[in-house]
Amino acid sequence: MHILVFNAGSSSLKFSMFETADDMREVFKGSFDRFQQGRCDFRFRGGASNESGEMQCASIDVAIAEIPAILKRFGLPDPDAIGHRITHGGARFSSAALLDETTIAAIEALNPLAPLHNPANLQAVRLGRRLWQDRPQVAVFDTAFHQSNPPFATTYAVPKSWREAGLRRYGFHGTSHKYVALRAAQEVGRPLDDLQLVSVHLGNGASVCAVNRGESMDSSMGMTPLEGLVMGTRSGDVDPGAFGFLNREFGLSPAEIENALYNDSGLKGLTGSSDMRDIEDLAATGNREAQLAIEIYAYRAKKYVGAYAAAMGGLDAVVFTGGIGENSPSMRRRICDGLDFMGLQLDHDRNQAVDLANAAAPQIQAYGSRVRVFVTETAEQLMIARETAAVLALPQPAFEPIPVAVSARHVHLSKEAVTALFGPGYALTPETPLRQPGHWAAKERVVLQGPKGQLDRVAILGPIRPRTQIEVSRTDSFSLGINVPVRESGKLDKTPVVTIVGPAGSITTDGLIVAARHIHTNPRDAARLGLEDGEFVDVRVGEPERGLVFARTLVRVGATSFTEMHIDTDEANAAGIGAGAEGAIIDDHATVHARAPI
Ligand code: ADP
């Protein structure tokens, strides 16, 4: 089997072909970058042939279209499967996923979280699907490894509505951190689950990850790959107060500030060059700016190593990787020097003589150092190929986390009801798209009135339905003073009446229910999850302390549904959960782990 791996950025494309015989072997490696004036640089290596140079090529799209011919020229077959590096998997993806319309839509929905990366990744996915129509394609997420980070590491202390919109820490470079942590564990000769590691990835992008007993516990990158270390052109940690200052002082817009923090900061902002080799050379000539840049870079990385040792409550090894981590002995030394108080001492000769040929992972700590220090090349493409093969070979885990959405009280209105409440010919204004395709929350609100009291500013969800349905929680039913039955959506016979008040009038209508909790899913996910339309399952939701098992959760399979469990606010409060929660279907009272195997 041949797996083609794509690592598509906004200005470069790396791709590799792997052959899966006994082991995973890279048989071809290529890259396109520096797209300028209709030309780009290329580099291809396959078998004994090496090609590099400049070619006519206007964009990454054009480059991708060339790939079938390039593979042919190197004597390689069409791929049997394609694996894609996808930067942001949000809270939705905790492992690699087969790419279909549903997963693509789910990744697209994450674009606001990674506007510079996900659209470029998805463009490669679309072109890949067009070029190799009948070949499965798999998404491997940079964020997935960090889904195990505890809430206290991922939550920003910001207003609730921001957090509910997805503003949290996700972490990136997960594929790299996972690979080098596994590689170090292999060298130590102990299972990763026994070890507390800090992985330090220093490339153009750079991040540190606390790998605590097999799981990522924290990462220096946050909601975006901008947080944390100083990088080639990215600032890393900056006081968010800078936004207001820059706006007031220079009149910069958020987009301008963001662009400068991504592209004109970091090493480039400090010295004019984003390349550590140039900076080290300059520093050696006495250039103070370059010297300061190196000091800042090392200091920031050292702080994270110390912080993560403290966060984990122990440290067995530090692993360096990425262009700088692999190739700069002086940077490794600056980061490690002075850490002997926590049992880490470098051997300067070993540090100087690192040889990474043949995927070696040499140890460079001093004799007697309690903490080991490794250097190894990262192998993101290899990991993507492995995970792609795993998704295709394994039957998907029968049970995997299901995103849980909390529905506050709302109404679905019929055409007649819209007319009565808002006036003839009135069309509701879709304001917020919902995760179910084609569904939205309207800008308009209504009031619900019952014999005991009223509920103001109740949301209206579109599209228009043949029959009006009003969904409230059991607590709401007491506020209204109406006994409301628990019903499946659409089963509205003999349901109580309630008065709905709009700006142009009011109606009193039946259709008032407490919605039965349910899971929306589509035929493909249902098949993978082993679910059938109309069946009831038990789902564990929430943190261990306050989590609950929701018994008798109805499964509803729809052709285009996004897989998601819906519960109401009473249920969410009882389980102590908020945005970004996930549920695990339990089988015979045994929770099945959904984490990807490490
Ligand atoms: P990417 O994140 O784009 O994959 P790399 O992992 O290739 O980036 O890392 C690129 C960085 O590594 C650049 O800053 C480059 O200067 C640095 N680098 C590569 N070789 C050396 C070296 N011998 N000494 C110092 N820095 C190096």
Side-chain angles (χ1 to χ4, degrees):
M1 182 173 181
H2 284 84
I3 298 178
L4 181 64
V5 170
F6 272 119
N7 184 348
S10 52
S11 59
S12 71
L13 171 76
K14 294 181 193 163
F15 61 109
S16 295
M17 181 79 107
F18 289 85
E19 194 180 283
T20 61
D22 297 338
D23 197 6
M24 195 66 82
R25 202 164 59 86
E26 192 174 39
V27 290
F28 178 88
K29 195 174 178 153
S31 67
F32 297 99
D33 59 10
R34 289 159 52 105
F35 290 84
Q36 276 166 6
Q37 290 155 356
R39 302 184 69 77
C40 77
D41 289 355
F42 70 90
R43 188 178 291 270
F44 307 137
R45 202 187 68 210
S49 317
N50 261 317
E51 292 180 10
S52 63
E54 213 192 48
M55 64 190 257
Q56 199 87 29
C57 187
S59 66
I60 291 184
D61 296 5
V62 177
I64 292 177
E66 293 289 324
I67 290 176
I70 296 166
L71 294 177
K72 208 166 187 181
R73 213 171 64 234
F74 277 79
L76 291 164
D78 271 346
D80 298 294
I82 297 107
H84 291 271
R85 177 178 182 182
I86 306 283
T87 303
H88 216 308
R92 168 82 172 81
F93 294 101
S94 53
S95 56
L98 196 62
L99 281 159
D100 55 21
E101 293 307 325
T102 314
T103 37
I104 291 174
I107 295 167
E108 212 158 32
L110 296 166
N111 281 353
L113 290 174
L116 301 176
H117 296 87
N118 274 24
N121 304 153
L122 279 176
Q123 185 62 6
V125 169
R126 290 204 184 87
L127 290 167
R129 276 162 66 92
R130 212 175 299 153
L131 284 172
W132 297 283
Q133 286 180 7
D134 54 343
R135 301 301 148 99
Q137 311 220 12
V138 170
V140 180
F141 299 94
D142 263 31
T143 46
F145 182 50
H146 306 297
Q147 285 289 297
S148 50
N149 292 2
F152 55 76
T154 58
T155 308
Y156 289 118
V158 295
K160 190 173 179 188
S161 56
W162 299 8
R163 284 181 276 125
E164 285 176 348
L167 180 59
R168 47 157 278 193
R169 310 186 69 251
Y170 294 94
F172 299 86
H173 280 153
T175 313
S176 170
H177 290 305
K178 184 169 162 183
Y179 170 78
V180 300
L182 280 167
R183 188 69 195 80
Q186 209 176 23
E187 290 296 316
V188 175
R190 278 162 61 190
L192 191 56
D193 285 4
D194 280 358
L195 298 172
Q196 294 180 303
L197 307 177
V198 171
S199 160
V200 185
H201 178 125
L202 307 176
N204 281 317
S207 71
V208 183
C209 176
V211 187
N212 193 24
R213 304 188 191 286
E215 287 189 337
S216 166
M217 179 181 172
D218 204 348
S219 151
S220 59
M221 283 177 167
M223 184 188 90
T224 68
L226 195 51
E227 193 177 332
L229 301 181
V230 172
M231 303 179 222
T233 63
R234 287 174 244 165
S235 62
D237 295 330
V238 169
D239 182 344
F243 269 69
F245 169 81
L246 292 167
N247 174 257
R248 287 187 302 275
E249 289 297 305
F250 300 122
L252 295 179
S253 68
E256 287 168 327
I257 299 171
E258 198 175 32
N259 182 43
L261 292 175
Y262 266 104
N263 300 313
D264 298 319
S265 300
L267 294 173
K268 185 178 169 198
L270 291 168
T271 67
S273 167
S274 63
D275 193 312
M276 186 55 90
R277 280 167 294 204
D278 298 345
I279 297 166
E280 288 188 348
D281 290 348
L282 260 181
T285 67
N287 182 296
R288 184 58 199 133
E289 273 189 347
Q291 291 171 351
L292 180 63
I294 290 171
E295 285 166 356
I296 299 168
Y297 192 97
Y299 178 67
R300 200 80 77 77
K302 185 198 291 277
K303 282 206 294 187
Y304 273 102
V305 172
Y308 286 168
M312 295 189 290
L315 182 64
D316 297 302
V318 173
V319 195
F320 284 99
T321 193
I324 299 170
E326 292 158 22
N327 297 304
S328 175
S330 63
M331 185 51 72
R332 290 193 299 261
R333 178 165 170 177
R334 279 175 188 279
I335 294 169
C336 292
D337 272 356
L339 296 184
D340 34 350
F341 76 93
M342 53 188 225
L344 189 161
Q345 243 181 319
L346 220 52
D347 180 309
H348 299 310
D349 292 337
R350 283 165 139 191
N351 179 42
Q352 210 62 40
V354 159
D355 177 0
L356 300 180
N358 301 319
Q363 302 188 33
I364 58 167
Q365 74 278 5
Y367 182 75
S369 173
R370 197 183 48 71
V371 177
R372 300 180 199 229
V373 183
F374 290 92
V375 185
T376 192
E377 275 182 3
T378 191
E380 285 164 306
Q381 336 278 67
L382 170 71
M383 285 296 270
I384 294 170
R386 278 191 197 159
E387 301 220 0
T388 300
V391 165
L392 298 175
L394 295 177
Q396 286 281 317
F399 298 96
E400 62 182 73
I402 293 183
V404 177
V406 181
S407 306
R409 63 183 82 103
H410 62 267
V411 300
H412 300 276
L413 298 178
S414 66
K415 199 156 162 272
E416 297 72 32
V418 173
T419 303
L421 298 170
F422 294 94
Y426 191 88
L428 292 170
T429 325
E431 187 175 51
T432 316
L434 304 180
R435 281 210 271 197
Q436 296 304 328
H439 290 227
W440 39 267
K443 193 163 161 235
E444 295 81 0
R445 301 288 174 119
V446 287
V447 174
L448 297 181
Q449 283 179 343
K452 168 95 172 58
Q454 70 176 36
L455 300 169
D456 295 325
R457 293 191 49 74
V458 175
I460 305 169
L461 302 192
I464 297 298
R465 288 195 179 181
R467 188 166 171 188
T468 294
Q469 176 170 310
I470 307 100
E471 298 180 33
V472 295
S473 71
R474 200 159 154 68
T475 304
D476 292 335
S477 77
F478 282 93
S479 305
L480 292 169
I482 305 172
N483 187 21
V484 186
V486 176
R487 284 288 177 83
E488 192 181 321
S489 178
K491 303 233 162 118
L492 304 179
D493 289 349
K494 302 206 177 85
T495 46
V497 296
V498 65
T499 300
I500 310 178
V501 184
S506 67
I507 52 168
T508 298
T509 171
D510 66 356
L512 179 63
I513 62 170
V514 172
R517 51 182 166 252
H518 54 274
I519 293 173
H520 287 288
T521 187
N522 51 63
R524 184 190 280 272
D525 285 358
R528 194 177 70 242
L529 291 158
L531 297 174
E532 278 178 25
D533 190 39
E535 78 165 316
F536 290 96
V537 291
D538 294 354
V539 186
R540 179 184 296 283
V541 170
E543 294 303 310
E545 321 86 80
R546 295 221 73 194
L548 287 175
V549 173
F550 286 114
R552 282 186 64 75
T553 304
L554 176 68
V555 174
R556 289 166 51 184
V557 181
T560 59
S561 295
F562 178 89
T563 297
E564 184 174 67
M565 176 169 169
H566 285 184
I567 57 177
D568 70 18
T569 44
D570 279 358
E571 291 168 316
N573 289 339
I577 61 163
E582 288 182 334
I585 297 173
I586 51 179
D587 185 23
D588 298 333
H589 305 291
T591 305
V592 178
H593 272 282
R595 232 167 24 86
I598 289 186

